[in-house]
DNA sequence: GATGAATGAGCATTCATTCAT
DNA sequence: TATGAATGAATGCTCATTCAT
């Protein structure tokens, strides 16, 4: 993936741009996690990234760009992972479960980044916000594809809602960690949520699986 | 409910404090919705509320207090509504559905407030954040009570997760309005989500309602 | 002494004015001592004095007036005491010593007030400052009278300098308390300073030590 | 002397820090002299110093730091001058006189600075105040050394008091200029005060005037 | 390309003072 | 007379951004 043209840099060397921006993103995630976007200064990001404030501004135009780069980075990683799933799945219910579980795992890995993104999008320009929403839409679309592939008998709007539910349940694992992670591990969480998902949408193939014994 | 002593005011007239703070909250919600907490200045809040900056600071100590008052106000209203539900319900499944639906309605009414709260809690002091989390915990606990009352055969952790799912699904109606509200009305959303909820947790009492025709 | 017309009040009852202002002065001295004039708010003075901010402003026009009243109060007390001395002394050297010692005692009593006054005069209006300087001048003049009465052979300028030295040495007992009061009591301090004073000005009667040739 | 680490700066170039701070001190002294510390705004200091408010704050953290730098600067100059005296004097009475006179000359040069310092120390933090008192203590100690070197037969406490008297008499030349400088020049003032000092402490060599029985 | 000193717009907060009750 | 709510000018301080070296 080439770096999006949304954030221009005055540096010519494309490779250097990528290196420096990755340093910036890493530094920014660390700091935004601790103090939030607004309470983090550009100087702090530069320092944490290992270069001067002057250098920082060679690779971005405005502070907001840093946030945008972070958001972009997150979606890139999420989409990458989801694409792998979609492309390899052939449509069975197990594969749906595997896909959702894999997404939950990713959300576990990227808790901090996701929380940052959701808490700070408001700070982006309208334009950048639209870009992010569009990415979020693309993510939902992937889940819709996955659901379409792996289920039958669901109406479009049902698929839409389920895709949203999956997405949000992945995110809430990070958002509500202070509550959920007292009771669940990511595995037990993923298991129970996918079970509710399948049952809720009445997706269990065979017969009487909605008898009491089904759970767990 | 008297206003909590968490935010001291230098004005002695308790009633006046309540009036002015409600003006402030209303103004703040409007502005925070438009521009976020950080980009809203205290002067703007004062002006929107209809009094001077000096007067604003007679009723709060720090800008953060405004945000806290907003959060507190939201929880007060949510808890109030939930309490009514809990207290009047006697335990049938219809009442669970009614409770959840009522909560979704409330979340529809308070979309802006809820979005603000979730996007800006990070800006609160640690202490205030803890207060908010505690309130959120109390809300979850109410849903757990409701579930306990209206279901059987669910393990503690299942009830916990379901309570969280309900809560988050209510909130996401506001958060993801740009996506969900293209497809659903609050009623159709509530209906489908509660259906998934009941089915997911295997709560339909008897018979054929989980046949294909059940959906919708 | 009638209260000086320098600080007008909107209250008619002269007696009440005196009472309230004395409350104010007492409160102000306490607070200025602790935090200085600038860091003390008018509200704090009012509260400490036992009435409301509104009432405070019935008895003064500006915050500065409080400081002025304090200064005025101090001089009134100092002058009062010095007058007693001057009026009763008949001119012997013992009486000079007694007068100076008595002044030192007073400075010991009024340490806080004196320190406040000297540290904060700068905050007064030019006009008020002149009034204070004039009072200080009057005080010096009293010491000059005392010296004149009790000594012989001193030139005008010598008397002037000695009067200033006495005055300042009284004040420094308060100013430099952190240093002087580790080594001296007010009594031992007074004794040693008056001794230096008399010797320095060559005022011991008996013996040859006051031979005219000594002075440079 | 490197500038003390008490006031950190975010500028790395040590030399530049010294230059800018000297500009600040000069500007501050001028303004504080005119209007006092509290009535002088940081913007005014910056403007007078010839740079922007932003730049000012690159070299200090808080307004108080400016005052501290002024105090520190004064003591540095005073101590420097006193050290020269102490180091070169070998112990004769003439040299004591020369030392004191030189100090008086310095106090004449630094009248404004000294007055500012004494009027505004109260505005410093407790910590900074202690630093200043400690410097003042060091100054007294130097005078004690000088007295010890140049006199005989004086008790410790006498030396202590005399050192304080010298110090304060130097300072009062600035404080009471409105009164003293009508009558004296710094030279005539120095001459008369040193005379009183020597006589007062009974230090004239010739003749019997220092007979032990005189004191007390 | 990298640096970091300089800039100043912008904002939260304070507090003396007024005035209607 | 006494009260205290309302006011808004004033000010300390921050921090994104620029640009000369």
């Amino acid at each position: 993936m080439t770096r999006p043209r949304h954030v221009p840099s005055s540096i010519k060397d494309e490779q250097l741009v990528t290196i420096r921006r990755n340093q910036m993103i890493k530094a920014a995630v660390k700091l935004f996690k601790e103090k939030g976007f607004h309470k983090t200064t550009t100087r702090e990001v530069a320092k944490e990234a290992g270069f001067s404030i002057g250098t920082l501004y060679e690779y971005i135009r405005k502070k907001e760009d840093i946030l945008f780069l972070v958001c972009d980075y997150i979606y890139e990683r999420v989409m990458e992972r989801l694409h792998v799933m979609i492309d390899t799945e052939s449509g069975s219910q197990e594969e749906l479960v595997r896909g959702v579980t894999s997404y939950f795992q990713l959300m576990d890995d990227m808790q901090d980044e996701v929380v940052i993104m959701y808490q700070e999008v408001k700070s982006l320009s309208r334009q950048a916000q639209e870009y992010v929403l569009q990415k979020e839409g693309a993510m939902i679309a992937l889940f819709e594809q996955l659901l379409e592939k792996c289920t039958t008998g669901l109406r479009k709007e049902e698929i839409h809602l389920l895709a949203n539910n999956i997405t949000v349940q992945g995110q809430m694992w990070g958002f509500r960690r202070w509550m959920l992670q007292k009771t669940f591990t990511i595995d037990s969480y993923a298991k129970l949520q996918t079970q509710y998902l399948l049952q809720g949408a009445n997706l269990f193939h065979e017969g009487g699986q909605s008898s009491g014994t089904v759970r767990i």
Side-chain angles (χ1 to χ4, degrees), chain A:
Chain A
M1 303 293 109
T2 49
R3 208 130 286 288
R5 275 313 71 194
H6 292 277
V7 181
S9 160
S10 57
I11 295 327
K12 305 292 166 194
D13 185 341
E14 281 279 341
Q15 215 161 5
L16 192 52
V17 172
T18 304
I19 292 170
R20 291 273 180 272
R21 285 190 173 171
N22 284 337
Q23 291 174 297
M24 271 174 48
I25 290 166
K26 199 178 160 196
V29 168
K30 183 181 171 193
L31 292 168
F32 293 172
K33 191 193 314 177
E34 285 167 26
K35 346 169 44 179
F37 174 69
H38 279 100
K39 287 192 199 142
T40 301
T41 67
T42 51
R43 282 171 144 83
E44 287 170 325
V45 175
K47 190 174 182 187
E48 180 72 31
F51 38 74
S52 74
I53 182 66
T55 300
L56 184 85
Y57 273 86
E58 295 291 326
Y59 295 91
I60 57 165
R61 284 162 317 162
K62 320 158 75 247
K63 186 187 180 189
E64 199 203 292
D65 289 344
I66 305 175
L67 183 55
F68 183 81
L69 289 175
V70 169
C71 293
D72 195 57
Y73 163 79
I74 296 170
Y75 277 115
E76 227 166 275
R77 287 209 48 193
V78 174
M79 297 300 279
E80 200 182 321
R81 173 100 58 127
L82 289 184
H83 265 297
V84 171
M85 284 159 31
I86 301 296
D87 297 348
T88 57
E89 302 298 341
S90 55
S92 74
Q93 198 171 106
E94 286 79 35
E95 288 171 344
L96 173 59
V97 172
R98 215 179 312 132
V100 173
T101 305
S102 164
Y103 165 70
F104 281 178
Q105 289 287 357
L106 179 61
M107 287 297 97
D108 187 48
D109 292 348
M110 302 188 73
Q111 282 176 51
D112 294 322
E113 286 86 348
V114 170
V115 171
I116 287 168
M117 204 179 68
Y118 279 91
Q119 241 148 22
E120 310 288 6
V121 248
K122 194 76 151 267
S123 306
L124 292 173
S125 69
R126 191 145 300 280
Q127 203 185 346
Q129 274 185 54
E130 267 157 33
Y131 177 84
V132 168
L133 289 190
Q134 175 200 314
K135 289 271 187 176
E136 182 80 8
M139 203 172 101
I140 295 290
L142 281 187
F143 276 119
E144 288 175 340
Q145 278 179 49
L146 189 65
L147 282 162
E148 207 117 26
K149 215 188 233 172
C150 303
T151 67
T152 54
L154 290 173
R155 275 171 295 126
K156 265 220 137 47
E157 69 185 49
E158 288 182 298
I159 284 181
H160 188 57
L161 185 56
L162 290 171
N164 272 280
N165 281 351
I166 292 167
T167 307
V168 169
Q169 281 166 11
Q171 292 160 358
M172 82 187 240
W173 174 249
F175 269 103
R176 302 178 80 81
R177 68 180 86 171
W178 53 278
M179 174 159 270
L180 295 173
Q181 302 187 14
K182 278 180 187 160
T183 310
F184 301 99
T185 63
I186 184 60
D187 289 328
S188 64
Y189 178 77
K191 205 169 186 176
L192 201 51
Q193 287 289 35
T194 50
Q195 183 199 322
Y196 287 158
L197 173 72
L198 294 181
Q199 254 170 219
N202 231 336
L203 297 171
F204 279 113
H205 333 276
E206 321 95 295
Q209 67 281 62
S210 51
S211 67
T213 59
V214 166
R215 277 188 256 101
I216 293 294

